[in-house]
Amino acid sequence: MNKFYDKFLDELALRYPRKTELVDALLDILILEKESVYRRLRKDVYFTSEEMMQIAGAWNISLDNIICTTPHKTKPFHFSMLDYIKPQEADYKVFEDFNRAMELVVKDPAGKMIEVTNTLPGTIYLEYDNLTRFFTMKWFYKYAIPEDTLVFADTHIPDRMREMEREYIESVRNIHEVYTICDSSFIEHLISNVQYFKSVRMITQKEITLLKDELLDIIDYMEDAALKGYFPETGNKLYFYLSHTWLETEFLLYESKFMTLSMVKTLELGGICSWDKNVFDKFMNMVQSTKRSSVLLSASNDLQIIRFFSKQKELIMELDNEK
C-alpha cells in the first residue's frame, strides 16, 4: 500500500508542484478541512479509496497506471470526448483541468509542444470563430445521431467554451518551443471538406466567404510566423514543418519538467491521453521519424516560404467559385 500511495502522491504533485496550491485544489474536490488534507499528504493518515477515486476522476489520473504491476507491458490511456455544442459542467471541468496542465508547460522555460496533423492546426484555427464552428459542425456531422445534424448556420459554441479555447491558444503561444508538422496539402484537404458540405447544403456560399476571409488571415499569420521563426505576439520559437507523406497518426505532445502529456487525436475533436513518460518517448521517436520526410519551412528560405503561402492563398481564393 505504501508504494502505491507514494506513487499516487507523486501524481498529485505533478499536477500542482506547490503544496499550498495542491491543498487548495484538493479542498475544491473533497469535503475535508485543510488540516485533514495536510495530514493525508504527510501520510499521517491515508486518503480513503473513495477519496482517491474522486481525485482521480476529477484530475484524469489513471489508477490503473499507478497500480499496474507490469508497466512495460501495459500503458493505460484516457479517452477524452467533450460535447462542444451542449457541454455539461463535466465537459467544462475536463477542459479547465487541461488548461491548468498547459500552465505547467508554460511555466517551464524549456516547455515544449508538438502538433502533428493532416489539416489546419487546431492551435491556429481555434482563434477564429467561423472556422471553429466549421470544424465543430464537421465533428457533429460525423459522430452525432444523423437526425441531430446541424448546418453551419445552426452550429453555435457556448461563450464559456470559446473562452476556454482562447485560453488554450494563449497558453500555446506562451510555450517556449512549439513544433507543428502538417501535411503539405493541409489547405487542399480543408477546401475539399468545405466543398463537400456545400454540396450537401450544410453551408452557403455567403458563409464560405466568411471562412475564406478567416483562412486568408490565418495564412498571412502563418507566413509571418514562418518567416520570423517565432510567434509574433510572444517571441517564442515556432518550428513549422511540411510533411511530404500522409500522417497516419495525428497527435499532440506536451512536455515540461513537471509532466508529459501525449494525446492521440480521435473522432475529429477528441483525444486519447496518457501522462506516461514512456508513452511520450515513443511518440517523440515518431516525431523524429516524421521529420525525416518533412521540410522545415520556418526561418529557412524566405523565397520558399513566400511561394508556399502564396500558393495556399490561390487555393483559398478558389472558394469564391460558385460551382
Side-chain angles (χ1 to χ4, degrees):
M1 175 65 179
N2 286 340
K3 183 177 180 181
F4 164 69
Y5 195 78
D6 287 342
K7 290 176 68 177
F8 181 73
L9 294 182
D10 288 343
E11 285 291 329
L12 301 188
L14 285 175
R15 301 299 193 276
Y16 294 92
R18 293 184 180 179
K19 184 164 288 187
T20 54
E21 293 180 357
L22 173 58
V23 170
D24 289 341
L26 289 170
L27 289 173
D28 289 338
I29 300 173
L30 305 173
I31 305 176
L32 290 173
E33 298 293 332
K34 181 175 289 189
E35 180 55 31
S36 296
V37 173
Y38 273 110
R39 291 180 64 204
R40 284 159 171 76
L41 295 177
R42 292 195 303 262
K43 297 191 290 187
D44 296 339
V45 295
Y46 287 171
F47 285 109
T48 66
S49 57
E50 290 80 7
E51 289 167 348
M52 293 175 76
M53 292 175 64
Q54 195 172 352
I55 296 167
W59 293 354
N60 295 322
I61 295 173
S62 172
L63 295 178
D64 288 342
N65 196 26
I66 294 174
I67 65 176
C68 183
T69 57
T70 56
H72 59 292
K73 294 292 184 180
T74 304
K75 300 297 181 187
F77 281 75
H78 175 79
F79 178 63
S80 178
M81 188 67 217
L82 304 183
D83 187 335
Y84 293 90
I85 302 294
K86 296 180 179 179
Q88 303 297 313
E89 195 60 35
D91 296 298
Y92 290 123
K93 186 65 170 63
V94 170
F95 210 146
E96 285 174 354
D97 290 343
F98 177 72
N99 279 341
R100 298 294 80 75
M102 290 304 97
E103 291 177 2
L104 298 179
V105 184
V106 172
K107 287 179 181 178
D108 186 353
K112 183 184 300 182
M113 174 192 167
I114 300 104
E115 181 172 17
V116 177
T117 180
N118 285 309
T119 187
L120 192 65
T123 51
I124 299 292
Y125 78 71
L126 280 173
E127 185 177 358
Y128 294 83
D129 291 337
N130 291 306
L131 281 165
T132 301
R133 287 173 62 200
F134 176 79
F135 279 98
T136 304
M137 178 196 70
K138 178 186 172 187
W139 159 74
F140 204 64
Y141 174 79
K142 294 180 70 174
Y143 302 109
I145 301 172
E147 52 267 30
D148 290 341
T149 297
L150 297 174
V151 298
F152 182 84
D154 295 332
T155 302
H156 301 289
I157 305 168
D159 290 342
R160 184 179 173 188
M161 182 63 72
R162 288 296 290 138
E163 289 174 6
M164 291 181 180
E165 290 171 336
R166 293 188 184 99
E167 182 180 346
Y168 169 67
I169 293 298
E170 183 178 355
S171 293
V172 167
R173 293 177 183 176
N174 280 284
I175 293 173
H176 180 67
E177 288 186 355
V178 174
Y179 296 76
T180 298
I181 305 177
C182 287
D183 183 286
S184 58
S185 301
F186 70 97
I187 287 294
E188 293 177 57
H189 300 322
L190 177 56
I191 289 174
S192 177
N193 286 331
V194 172
Q195 291 171 337
Y196 169 77
F197 284 106
K198 179 185 177 183
S199 72
V200 294
R201 299 182 179 179
M202 291 184 63
I203 188 168
T204 66
Q205 185 60 43
K206 183 177 180 180
E207 291 164 342
I208 288 174
T209 299
L210 297 176
L211 298 183
K212 184 202 73 172
D213 292 343
E214 290 188 349
L215 280 171
L216 291 173
D217 282 346
I218 283 178
I219 293 301
D220 284 340
Y221 177 85
M222 293 180 74
E223 181 178 359
D224 183 37
L227 287 167
K228 293 175 177 174
Y230 56 81
F231 288 111
E233 304 92 337
T234 62
N236 289 321
K237 295 178 182 177
L238 173 63
Y239 299 93
F240 184 62
Y241 289 81
L242 293 175
S243 173
H244 293 291
T245 60
W246 177 255
L247 302 167
E248 296 181 2
T249 304
E250 296 182 287
F251 56 91
L252 298 105
L253 304 176
Y254 307 89
E255 181 182 27
S256 77
K257 62 184 177 182
F258 308 111
M259 48 76 82
T260 60
L261 174 61
S262 310
M263 181 183 296
V264 182
K265 295 172 67 176
T266 59
L267 306 182
E268 297 286 338
L269 301 181
I272 300 176
C273 307
S274 173
W275 300 89
D276 188 275
K277 181 63 165 62
N278 292 327
V279 170
F280 178 87
D281 290 341
K282 291 290 186 183
F283 276 104
M284 282 301 296
N285 290 339
M286 291 176 61
V287 170
Q288 297 307 318
S289 297
T290 303
K291 284 182 180 179
R292 288 200 294 268
S293 58
S294 305
V295 174
L296 176 61
L297 194 63
S298 56
S300 57
N301 183 290
D302 286 2
L303 183 58
Q304 182 183 14
I305 293 172
I306 293 169
R307 283 177 175 172
F308 173 77
F309 286 108
S310 293
K311 175 62 177 176
Q312 307 317 301
K313 291 176 185 178
E314 291 174 8
L315 293 170
I316 292 168
M317 292 304 296
E318 293 179 5
L319 285 172
D320 278 334
N321 194 329
E322 295 286 345
K323 292 182 181 179

